[in-house]
């Protein structure tokens, strides 16, 4: 029988519930349990795929091709388990499914209601995830804040779920803000009390309350919360701001979270944290500093590139160096300022993106990196930019562009002929695809394997009509689909680092298992930095 942990949030949003859920997942996995995680998002979009990244952060793509909330990335990075299409559920998706069933007559003439039809749909999703993963523990985070109108059906569904599977098989964790008032130099427990009451009024008594505060709010505040919220004293757990995300599992462990979770759910409580501890120690003992420029169009919100930043961090741990990210808005780049903007970059990364805006600036940045041998790493749109740049400035195809950017010109990047000119809805290549790597290439030395699998999220592809011309001009096609039909990766030579990949390697990077391409990129950037200082 699986055990279920539900994580809700109180007082304000943005408390790092996702990090708590992910950390707990890792702590349980370290005990030998199979852990699955999922997130419920109360907003009405069917999925975050169509949302603006500068509002909602990046879209995280699962192995099986679901476009999901960025918190799922934390789950994968911490727990190191691939999530699936049942890992993210929005109100929009629930209603869509219920209304489709209604139109198909599946409710046999019943009046369709929030309870039981919507709540059943939500519960079904938890069960499907449990069935698909056969996990011992399913951790479900409910997005937003308790009390939000949008979240009510989800809260009601998890209340019912606990009755369905037995209360002893479920655990409710409530994460709330404990604010600090500077004037009187004290932490305040009242908002946490109110939000726990709000949850209780909806029929859920939290078993564990996690106090989220800047510093330690103190034993007496935690005791007060325990007393007023009817929670055991050792079940009020402190969660303070950590220097580095990956310290959070250690902090929560020190404060007793996993001990009480195991006790309350009847799980075994023995684990070896030594490898994780060693990893955090390594993170803090890195030496030196290199500068990586991320040239993108959504830089106003760094969370738009969350998995990329994390993958760069993971690679920096493996290479024992600190990194500083220089965020560069590609719209602000011109021929005349590029030299000054990238003069101290040790590596240039162009991430994914959609639409024309800012792409000319990216092409300038790519050209500058190539001409000055600065390690260049192009991801998805960044790969397409590299192909266009190479076509224009090396292969002499002056009007080279992408079918996405401009109607006229030589579309070295375009829709595949079988995509039939359709560009809206359901035409993206999503999820993991195999890629065959050519021996003797930089790609091969990074992955050390002739066949890999990485996740995709794009519509446009390298146009095969230009394959010979670009190859003749020196562009190395280092990775293709196994049938060689689709170009997946390009590079310029195996000694420099100028690589573009059509997929998103950032999604498979883990803190203790960096993605090989990111590792090679940081290694090359370190070498570049070293050479600069020798001159
Ligand atoms: N806009 C490009 C495409 O659709 C690249 C997408 C991306 O970078 N994720 O192919």
């Amino acid at each position: 029988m699986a055990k279920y942990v539900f994580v809700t949030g109180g007082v304000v949003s943005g408390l790092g519930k996702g990090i708590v859920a992910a950390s707990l997942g890792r702590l349980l996995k370290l005990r030998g349990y199979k852990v699955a995680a999922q997130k419920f998002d109360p907003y009405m979009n069917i999925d975050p795929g169509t949302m603006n990244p500068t509002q909602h952060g990046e879209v995280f793509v699962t192995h099986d091709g679901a476009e999901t909330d960025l918190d799922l990335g934390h789950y994968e990075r911490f727990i190191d388990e691939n999530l699936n299409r049942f890992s993210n559920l929005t109100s929009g998706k629930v209603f869509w499914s219920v209304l489709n069933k209604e139109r198909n007559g599946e409710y046999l003439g019943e009046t369709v209601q929030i309870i039981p039809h919507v709540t059943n749909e939500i519960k079904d999703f938890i069960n499907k995830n449990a069935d698909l993963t056969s996990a011992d523990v399913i951790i479900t985070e409910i997005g937003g804040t308790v009390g939000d109108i949008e979240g009510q059906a989800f809260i009601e569904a998890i209340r019912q779920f606990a009755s369905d599977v037995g209360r002893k098989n479920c655990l409710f964790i409530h994460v709330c803000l404990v604010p600090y008032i500077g004037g009187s130099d004290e932490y305040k427990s009242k908002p946490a009390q109110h939000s726990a009451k709000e949850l209780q009024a909806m029929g859920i008594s939290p078993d564990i309350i996690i106090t989220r505060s800047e510093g330690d709010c103190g034993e007496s505040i935690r005791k007060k919360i325990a007393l007023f919220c009817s929670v055991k004293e050792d079940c009020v757990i402190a969660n303070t701001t950590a220097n580095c995300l990956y310290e959070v599992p250690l902090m929560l462990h020190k404060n007793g979270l996993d001990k009480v979770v195991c006790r309350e759910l009847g799980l075994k409580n023995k684990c070896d944290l030594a490898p994780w501890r060693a990893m955090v120690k390594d993170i803090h003992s890195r030496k030196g500093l290199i500068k990586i420029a991320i040239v993108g169009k959504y830089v106003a919100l760094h969370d738009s590139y969350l998995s990329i930043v994390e993958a760069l961090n993971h690679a920096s741990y493996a290479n024992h160096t600190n990194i500083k990210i220089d965020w560069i808005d590609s719209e602000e780049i011109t021929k005349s300022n590029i030299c000054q903007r990238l003069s101290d970059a040790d590596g240039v990364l162009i991430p994914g993106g959609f639409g024309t805006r800012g792409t000319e600036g990216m092409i300038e940045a790519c050209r500058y990196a190539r001409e000055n041998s600065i390690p260049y790493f192009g991801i998805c749109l960044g790969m397409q930019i590299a192909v266009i740049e190479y076509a224009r400035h090396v292969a002499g195809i002056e009007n080279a562009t992408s079918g996405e950017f401009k109607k006229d010109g030589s579309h070295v990047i375009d829709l595949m002929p079988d995509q039939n000119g359709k560009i809206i809805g359901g035409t993206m290549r999503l999820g993991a695809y195999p890629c065959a790597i050519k021996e003797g290439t930089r790609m091969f030395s990074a992955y050390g394997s002739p066949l890999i699998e990485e996740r995709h999220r794009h519509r446009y592809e390298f146009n095969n009509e230009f394959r010979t011309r670009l190859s003749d001009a020196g562009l190395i096609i280092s990775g293709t689909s196994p049938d060689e039909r689709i170009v997946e990766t390009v590079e310029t030579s195996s000694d420099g680092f100028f690589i573009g990949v059509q997929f998103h390697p950032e999604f498979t990077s883990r803190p203790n298992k960096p993605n090989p391409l990111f590792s090679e990129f940081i290694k090359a950037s370190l070498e570049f930095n070293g050479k600069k200082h020798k001159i």
Side-chain angles (χ1 to χ4, degrees):
M1 171 79 200
K3 302 283 182 185
Y4 299 86
V5 177
F6 295 101
V7 182
T8 53
V11 186
V12 293
S13 59
L15 287 177
K17 288 192 301 286
I19 301 291
V20 168
S23 299
L24 177 62
R26 168 50 70 165
L27 291 168
L28 293 174
K29 185 172 174 173
L30 284 170
R31 287 169 168 76
Y33 290 110
K34 185 162 178 9
V35 179
Q38 62 184 173
K39 176 153 192 221
F40 292 163
D41 277 308
Y43 51 74
M44 288 300 295
N45 303 59
I46 304 272
D47 61 40
T50 54
M51 290 164 96
N52 183 340
T54 53
Q55 258 181 41
H56 195 259
E58 85 174 5
V59 172
F60 186 82
V61 181
T62 59
H63 193 80
D64 62 0
E67 297 180 276
T68 69
D69 184 82
L70 84 180
D71 265 330
L72 271 79
H74 290 312
Y75 302 162
E76 284 208 359
R77 288 186 282 273
F78 277 74
I79 308 172
D80 193 13
E81 291 286 342
N82 281 348
L83 302 178
N84 57 59
R85 63 189 186 285
F86 296 115
S87 306
N88 197 192
L89 182 63
T90 67
S91 292
K93 204 185 259 177
V94 177
F95 289 129
W96 183 260
S97 172
V98 167
L99 292 174
N100 275 317
K101 285 184 183 165
E102 188 272 339
R103 289 291 86 183
N104 289 332
E106 288 180 40
Y107 295 118
L108 306 174
E110 278 179 66
T111 308
V112 179
Q113 295 177 298
I114 299 285
I115 306 170
H117 302 98
V118 168
T119 47
N120 280 351
E121 194 71 31
I122 297 170
K123 291 193 286 181
D124 214 36
F125 216 78
I126 308 175
N127 286 324
K128 279 186 182 137
N129 198 359
D131 289 346
L132 188 71
T133 57
S134 323
D136 304 308
V137 186
I138 320 274
I139 302 175
T140 307
E141 176 194 349
I142 300 26
T145 306
V146 163
D148 293 345
I149 289 178
E150 287 98 334
Q152 283 185 356
F154 288 105
I155 302 285
E156 169 59 15
I158 61 173
R159 184 196 69 76
Q160 292 175 14
F161 193 88
S163 314
D164 297 350
V165 299
R167 186 62 176 85
K168 64 177 192 315
N169 295 314
C170 291
L171 195 80
F172 291 100
I173 299 181
H174 191 50
V175 184
C176 10
L177 176 73
V178 173
Y180 173 72
I181 309 290
S184 53
D185 185 27
E186 56 181 353
Y187 283 95
K188 288 296 193 184
S189 68
K190 193 78 80 187
Q193 292 177 40
H194 279 298
S195 101
K197 270 205 193 100
E198 185 121 27
L199 196 54
Q200 283 157 348
M202 289 190 270
I204 293 175
S205 279
D207 302 289
I208 293 175
I209 292 185
I210 298 200
T211 57
R212 179 72 183 88
S213 49
E214 232 7 76
D216 182 13
C217 62
E219 196 59 35
S220 69
I221 290 280
R222 284 193 287 278
K223 280 193 170 156
K224 206 164 160 184
I225 291 175
L227 179 68
F228 281 97
C229 303
S230 308
V231 172
K232 292 173 194 163
E233 275 186 15
D234 64 355
C235 288
V236 182
I237 310 283
N239 176 13
T240 54
T241 304
N243 286 328
C244 150
L245 281 185
Y246 302 111
E247 276 174 37
V248 176
L250 299 177
M251 169 180 56
L252 293 175
H253 170 77
K254 187 165 140 256
N255 296 342
L257 175 68
D258 42 337
K259 187 178 96 199
V260 295
V261 166
C262 290
R263 183 186 71 207
E264 299 299 311
L265 285 175
L267 301 173
K268 65 173 187 278
N269 180 30
K270 207 166 173 283
C271 74
D272 180 13
L273 276 169
W276 198 268
R277 231 177 234 128
M279 179 188 82
V280 171
K281 200 169 155 224
D282 279 352
I283 294 176
H284 291 305
S285 51
R286 284 173 294 163
K287 303 241 165 11
L289 181 72
I290 56 168
K291 217 164 163 189
I292 303 296
I294 295 188
V295 184
K297 56 197 291 188
Y298 314 123
V299 292
L301 182 71
H302 299 175
D303 269 0
S304 311
Y305 304 115
L306 182 63
S307 291
I308 290 198
V309 173
E310 285 309 311
L312 286 171
N313 283 334
H314 305 160
S316 80
Y317 308 158
N319 283 285
H320 314 290
T321 176
N322 293 292
I323 52 168
K324 184 176 179 316
I325 293 177
D326 189 6
W327 296 98
I328 300 181
D329 184 343
S330 58
E331 263 196 300
E332 286 168 11
I333 288 193
T334 59
K335 249 192 186 67
S336 50
N337 69 12
I338 185 70
C339 169
Q340 174 239 329
R341 291 301 279 122
L342 288 183
S343 61
D344 60 350
D346 299 308
V348 176
L349 189 153
I350 299 194
F354 291 84
T356 319
R357 185 173 58 82
T359 50
E360 286 302 318
M362 291 176 196
I363 294 169
E364 280 307 326
C366 179
R367 176 183 195 164
Y368 185 86
R370 188 181 50 76
E371 290 180 347
N372 293 283
S373 305
I374 307 174
Y376 174 86
F377 189 9
I379 294 179
C380 207
L381 178 65
M383 176 264 202
Q384 300 174 354
I385 292 290
V387 173
I388 297 168
E389 192 280 319
Y390 203 86
R392 282 191 198 173
H393 306 124
V394 183
I397 310 171
E398 272 167 36
N399 63 350
T401 186
S402 160
E404 183 182 17
F405 307 161
K406 245 183 173 179
K407 249 191 145 102
D408 318 321
S410 301
H411 293 156
V412 291
I413 301 294
D414 211 351
L415 295 173
M416 294 293 268
D418 52 1
Q419 279 173 304
N420 223 357
K422 281 184 293 188
I423 54 158
I424 31 170
T427 53
M428 280 226 249
R429 185 142 75 102
L430 283 168
Y433 284 84
C435 168
I437 304 178
K438 233 204 216 146
E439 273 183 52
T441 59
R442 186 91 197 206
M443 270 293 289
F444 194 90
S445 62
Y447 280 96
S449 161
L451 191 68
I452 58 152
E453 223 180 25
E454 292 283 9
R455 301 179 199 176
H456 292 246
R457 179 174 184 252
H458 57 99
R459 291 192 179 90
Y460 291 82
E461 308 277 359
F462 183 109
N463 184 348
N464 284 329
E465 280 177 31
F466 292 90
R467 205 149 153 174
T468 316
R469 196 152 162 206
L470 286 167
S471 301
D472 289 349
L475 190 68
I476 300 166
I477 292 170
S478 47
T480 61
S481 54
D483 64 3
E484 296 187 9
R485 206 173 68 91
I486 304 176
V487 173
E488 300 284 26
T489 71
V490 295
E491 57 189 78
T492 49
S493 77
S494 55
D495 40 302
F497 190 103
F498 183 93
I499 293 187
V501 293
Q502 189 56 83
F503 46 74
H504 289 269
E506 68 272 25
F507 294 140
T508 51
S509 186
R510 308 285 183 253
N512 45 6
K513 256 189 262 165
N515 177 281
L517 271 179
F518 277 87
S519 241
E520 286 289 298
F521 173 59
I522 292 297
K523 196 169 139 212
S525 304
L526 252 177
E527 282 164 11
F528 182 79
N529 176 280
K531 268 190 230 147
K532 242 182 6 192
H533 288 108
K534 260 198 208 130
I535 298 167

